């Protein structure tokens, strides 16, 4: 399928819509059900699936939803094959709450919808993120995984690398991927202002050495809840770099940046996304929602390219 259009909307724009499928993830965070609680008050949901990291995950909604423990991201494609194959509507409405999903999980969903030719005239997908309150960063775990996100193959070129790094607030993550990839050019981007500017203070403090040694012309800031401006910044960078460089985006910061980066890889096939991780030995943050009414929502409409 192809993307017909995308836009940022507010939560009230979804009210009263019939939701065919609600996908989200359950973990230790306090914001797991924030979006679900909001949507279920004003919408009918035909099917809800909670992707879990553990078999033992319990919820107050166990009777209303299906829980599936995922062994790997590839299982998501099989689940979508099954669920979307059962629906006979020509137009479908899906919610993907990626607040607690791993990068590979929601990237798999995006790539599935892009690559598959499904028997629908269109699919409207609301990608929703619940921002969290500030929590102090923990001591960073060692970087044990620095690699492309799975799911998309980029043909290697002999062009030098240009790296776009979105800073997180843990120390040494950004330096790690810059040292690993050794790009000819790199750009730093981070959220400023944020919904809670304590995040900004900690990002700048924990990345001060990198920021100090980077040309200020190659440091870009973006407003966390303005997805259109962020997309424009990344698109401008792409056109600036594409002729001379192989472009890699490393999203170490907030998930809405990662989401927009993923859409960029669909629009521009020569962009690659890399991740920096610590394997299963991750820092666990409780991530309490900033409040019960603040969401960052992107409405993406996919069309069947064969039936256009």
């Amino acid at each position: 399928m192809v993307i017909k259009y995308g836009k940022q909307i507010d939560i009230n724009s979804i009210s009263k819509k019939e939701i065919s499928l609600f996908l989200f993830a359950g973990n230790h965070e306090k914001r797991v059900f924030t979006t679900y609680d909001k949507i279920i008050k004003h919408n009918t949901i035909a099917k809800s699936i909670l992707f879990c990291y553990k078999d033992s995950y319990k919820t107050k909604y166990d009777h209303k939803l299906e829980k599936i423990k995922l062994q790997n991201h590839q299982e998501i494609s099989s689940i979508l094959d099954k669920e979307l194959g059962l629906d006979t509507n020509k137009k479908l409405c899906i919610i993907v709450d990626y607040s607690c999903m791993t990068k590979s999980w929601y990237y798999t969903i995006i790539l599935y919808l892009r690559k598959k030719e499904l028997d629908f005239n269109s699919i409207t997908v609301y990608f929703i993120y619940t921002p969290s309150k500030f929590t102090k960063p923990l001591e960073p775990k060692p970087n044990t995984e620095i690699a492309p996100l799975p799911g998309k193959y980029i043909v290697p070129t002999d062009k030098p690398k240009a790296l776009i790094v979105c800073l997180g607030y843990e120390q040494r993550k950004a330096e790690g991927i810059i040292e690993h990839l050794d790009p000819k050019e790199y750009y730093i981007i981070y959220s400023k202002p944020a919904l809670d500017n304590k995040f900004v203070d900690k990002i700048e403090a924990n990345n001060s050495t990198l920021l100090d040694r980077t040309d200020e012309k190659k440091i870009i800031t973006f407003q966390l809840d303005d997805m259109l401006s962020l997309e424009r910044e990344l698109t401008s960078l792409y056109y600036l770099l594409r002729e001379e460089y192989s472009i890699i985006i490393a999203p170490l910061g907030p998930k809405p940046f990662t989401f927009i980066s993923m859409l960029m890889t669909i629009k521009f096939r020569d962009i690659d996304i890399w991740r920096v991780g610590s394997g299963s030995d991750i820092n666990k943050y409780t991530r309490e929602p900033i409040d019960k009414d603040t969401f960052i929502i992107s409405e993406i409409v996919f069309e069947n390219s064969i039936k256009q």
Side-chain angles (χ1 to χ4, degrees):
M1 305 188 84
V2 297
I3 293 179
K4 181 181 180 182
Y5 70 84
K7 63 180 180 180
Q8 186 171 350
I9 62 171
D10 62 37
I11 191 68
N12 294 324
S13 300
I14 306 177
S15 182
K16 309 301 181 184
K17 292 186 181 294
E18 294 185 4
I19 308 303
S20 304
L21 185 62
F22 190 111
L23 302 173
F24 59 134
N27 62 3
H28 54 275
E29 297 181 21
K30 294 182 178 180
R31 61 179 171 179
V32 169
F33 286 96
T34 306
T35 297
Y36 189 80
D37 286 338
K38 185 74 173 180
I39 296 295
I40 204 169
K41 289 178 182 178
H42 305 288
N43 302 75
T44 58
I45 303 174
K47 179 75 175 282
S48 300
I49 297 178
L50 183 73
F51 298 140
C52 300
Y53 300 84
K54 296 180 179 179
D55 287 322
S56 58
Y57 192 79
K58 302 292 184 184
T59 84
K60 61 182 178 181
Y61 291 116
D62 278 1
H63 62 293
K64 289 188 176 182
L65 51 83
E66 180 179 354
K67 293 187 296 183
I68 300 176
K69 181 191 174 186
L70 294 179
Q71 303 292 338
N72 58 68
H73 70 277
Q74 296 163 321
E75 292 177 284
I76 293 175
S77 295
S78 299
I79 293 166
L80 291 174
D81 276 338
K82 175 186 174 184
E83 296 301 327
L84 300 186
L86 295 173
D87 204 304
T88 58
N89 293 322
K90 288 303 177 185
K91 292 185 178 180
L92 203 64
C93 186
I94 299 172
I95 287 178
V96 178
D97 175 6
Y98 62 96
S99 307
C100 302
M101 290 187 184
T102 66
K103 292 181 178 72
S104 60
W105 288 8
Y106 57 104
Y107 195 35
T108 297
I109 295 170
I110 292 169
L111 290 177
Y112 176 92
L113 293 169
R114 172 62 187 90
K115 292 176 179 179
K116 272 286 200 183
E117 288 300 344
L118 299 166
D119 191 24
F120 301 99
N121 292 338
S122 67
I123 299 179
T124 300
V125 188
Y126 299 105
F127 290 94
I128 304 181
Y129 176 76
T130 303
S132 66
K133 293 180 180 179
F134 176 80
T135 51
K136 292 181 179 179
L138 302 173
E139 183 66 21
K141 304 285 187 177
N143 295 332
T144 58
E145 294 181 64
I146 301 179
L149 268 181
K152 179 182 175 184
Y153 176 72
I154 300 290
V155 178
T157 73
D158 57 2
K159 293 179 182 179
K161 299 183 188 73
L163 177 63
I164 302 167
V165 182
C166 180
L167 300 179
Y169 73 169
E170 288 190 356
Q171 292 177 315
R172 298 190 294 275
K173 293 291 185 183
E175 287 95 334
I177 194 165
I178 292 171
E179 291 169 6
H180 181 85
L181 290 173
D182 191 24
K184 186 174 181 181
E185 292 279 4
Y186 71 85
Y187 287 76
I188 299 297
I189 185 167
Y190 65 98
S191 55
K192 181 181 182 179
L195 296 177
D196 184 339
N197 281 316
K198 294 188 187 77
F199 282 108
V200 179
D201 295 340
K202 194 56 70 174
I203 288 170
E204 293 179 335
N206 283 350
N207 294 279
S208 58
T209 302
L210 177 60
L211 290 167
D212 288 344
R213 73 168 191 248
T214 301
D215 184 342
E216 63 180 19
K217 294 178 181 178
K218 295 180 179 179
I219 300 175
I220 300 163
T221 59
F222 67 94
Q223 184 174 322
L224 177 63
D225 57 350
D226 188 346
M227 307 290 265
L228 179 59
S229 293
L230 173 56
E231 182 186 3
R232 286 173 175 165
E233 288 284 4
L234 289 176
T235 300
S236 295
L237 267 183
Y238 170 77
Y239 282 116
L240 175 68
L241 299 169
R242 66 173 183 166
E243 296 297 332
E244 295 183 47
Y245 301 98
S246 294
I247 301 171
I248 297 172
I249 301 178
L252 312 181
K255 286 182 176 179
F257 177 91
T258 306
F259 170 73
I260 293 296
S261 300
M262 291 171 178
L263 293 186
M264 293 286 292
T265 70
I266 291 177
K267 185 177 181 181
F268 305 114
R269 302 299 179 85
D270 48 348
I271 296 177
D272 205 1
I273 297 184
W274 282 52
R275 63 181 173 183
V276 177
S278 306
S280 58
D281 184 25
I282 62 170
N283 281 329
K284 292 185 177 181
Y285 295 94
T286 55
R287 299 294 187 220
E288 185 177 349
I290 197 165
D291 60 48
K292 294 182 179 180
D293 297 299
T294 300
F295 305 92
I296 299 174
I297 307 172
S298 294
E299 177 184 336
I300 309 295
V301 176
F302 293 84
E303 278 192 334
N304 196 320
S305 58
I306 294 175
K307 294 185 178 181
Q308 286 184 341

